[in-house]
């Protein structure tokens, strides 16, 4: 049962860093949320109004509180557990859609900050940007993917002034793709067999939304307008981002995961290219049926909410890494983040094994491969870590925490 909580003026509902999975509704009174800006380290305060929820992200995402909530007058709050919240509000379309839009906006803001730190052009022209994506696929000899981007571009911008160049790139890519089609199918066979399945949505009611994709086929293209999102049923999907004319691998998504959902919530261009890694089946949902889908399928709405909570937390955690100027401390904080993502039942700060490569560390740290390798070599020389082909050994995660904390302090 939800509990009615009484707080006197000046009381703290919870502190930043607390592990408390209750969700609150301010029923009566006045409260404020205070957090620390990741970049400036300045306090940010936001008023909580009567009837508003707070503590939702950390509760649904199962991570420590990001803010401190203080009541400024005698106040009454309703406290709910996550199951109680899901039972009471999971099918409330108005509440769910409002939360999704708020979380989408927060995630977009964090993305923009990260892109700004990585010196990516936030005012880039979407037409020239899509051509850059196609050209990057062509340079990487991923001709099927290049063809798909060219087709998507020509459908979106049929009157583009340099249309013939795009057609030429498509024609050359199509010839190469047809020549290598059989080899591509063989290379993707392992990905197909290991892609897994999602049975939760293997129901007749969902089959009208099902779409099948071949190995290398682009499902959505970075920079194009977004009007659909996807839930993976079978196979894996590769996320790719174009940085300075080169496509960089971001992540591999598996059955049960969603992608493309940000674009239909805030009408923004796609932030990454998503392509099939092997044979893939997805459920495709549009803006037109999205709200109907959420209203009729609370499990999808809650899945989306939890996904946003996790992504916001993950992206803020990455932003905390990127604002560290000392590169040794930045890389140390990458290892700290990996340790947080994969907690072990050890109370002492001892050895850890992480199944990552130098390329993975470079991606998280926002550094080039060469610069990352140079900084990693410094750790190896001091006998702090060992590097192997597909994993790394950190001799003392406590040392990494101290290095990361010192780097954050020296920045202030």
């Amino acid at each position: 049962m939800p509990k009615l909580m009484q707080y006197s003026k000046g009381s703290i509902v919870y502190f930043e860093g607390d592990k408390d999975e209750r969700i609150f509704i301010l029923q009566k009174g006045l409260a404020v949320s205070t957090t620390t800006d990741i970049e400036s380290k300045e306090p940010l305060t936001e008023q909580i109004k009567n009837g508003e929820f707070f503590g939702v992200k950390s509760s649904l995402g199962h991570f420590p509180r990001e803010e401190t909530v203080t009541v400024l007058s005698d106040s009454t709050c309703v406290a709910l557990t996550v199951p109680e919240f899901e039972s009471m509000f999971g099918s409330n379309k108005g509440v769910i859609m409002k939360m999704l839009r708020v979380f989408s906006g927060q995630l977009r803001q964090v993305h923009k900050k990260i892109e700004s730190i990585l010196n990516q052009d936030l005012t880039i022209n979407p037409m020239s940007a899509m051509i850059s994506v196609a050209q990057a696929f062509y340079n990487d000899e991923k001709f099927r993917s290049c063809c798909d981007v060219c087709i998507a571009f020509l459908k979106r911008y049929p009157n583009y002034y340099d249309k013939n160049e795009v057609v030429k790139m498509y024609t050359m890519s199509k010839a190469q793709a047809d020549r290598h089609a059989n080899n591509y199918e063989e290379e993707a066979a392992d990905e197909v067999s290991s892609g897994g399945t999602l049975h939760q949505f293997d129901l007749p009611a969902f089959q009208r939304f099902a779409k099948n994709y071949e190995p290398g086929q682009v499902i959505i293209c970075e920079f194009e307008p977004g009007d659909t999102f996807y839930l993976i049923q079978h196979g894996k999907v590769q996320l790719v981002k174009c940085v300075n004319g080169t496509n960089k691998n971001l992540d591999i998504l598996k059955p049960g995961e969603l992608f493309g959902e940000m674009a239909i919530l805030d009408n923004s261009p796609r932030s990454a290219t998503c392509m099939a890694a092997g044979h893939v089946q997805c459920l495709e949902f549009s803006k037109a049926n999205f709200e109907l889908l959420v209203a009729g399928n609370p499990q999808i709405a809650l899945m989306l909410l939890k996904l946003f909570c996790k992504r916001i937390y993950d992206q803020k955690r990455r932003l905390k890494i990127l604002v560290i100027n000392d590169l040794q401390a930045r890389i140390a904080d990458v290892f700290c983040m990996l340790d947080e993502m994969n907690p072990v039942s050890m109370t002492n700060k001892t050895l850890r094994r992480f199944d990552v490569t130098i390329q993975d560390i470079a991606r998280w740290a926002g550094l080039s491969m060469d610069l990352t390798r140079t900084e990693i070599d410094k750790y190896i020389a001091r006998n702090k870590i060992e590097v192997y082909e597909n994993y790394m050994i950190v001799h003392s995660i406590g040392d990494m925490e101290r290095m990361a904390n010192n780097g954050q302090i020296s920045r202030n």
Side-chain angles (χ1 to χ4, degrees), residues 10 15 83 126 136 165 168 193 204 219 231 252 266 274 282-283 289 293 305 309-310 345 351 355 360 367 374:
F15 287 94
E165 286 300 311
K168 180 180 178 182
S193 62
I219 303 171
L231 184 144
I252 292 283
D266 60 10
C274 301
C282 295
L283 298 180
N289 61 29
L293 173 73
L305 275 181
C309 293
K310 182 179 185 304
S345 57
L351 178 146
D355 294 327
D360 295 324
L367 301 174
T374 297

Side-chain angles (χ1 to χ4, degrees), residues 365-380:
L367 301 174
S368 67
M369 280 286 290
D370 289 341
L371 191 52
T372 303
R373 191 175 288 108
T374 297
E375 297 301 322
I376 290 288
D377 286 343
K378 294 177 183 177
Y379 275 119
I380 296 173

Side-chain angles (χ1 to χ4, degrees), residues 94-128:
V95 169
I96 296 300
M97 290 301 299
K98 182 177 180 179
M99 287 186 176
L100 285 173
R101 290 194 174 97
V102 169
F103 291 171
S104 172
Q106 292 178 1
L107 185 56
R108 179 67 61 182
Q109 289 176 2
V110 180
H111 272 306
K112 287 181 178 178
K113 289 182 178 180
I114 289 175
E115 290 174 345
S116 176
I117 290 173
L118 295 176
N119 297 318
Q120 294 174 13
D121 188 354
L122 302 179
T123 61
I124 194 167
N125 181 290
M127 288 186 285
S128 59

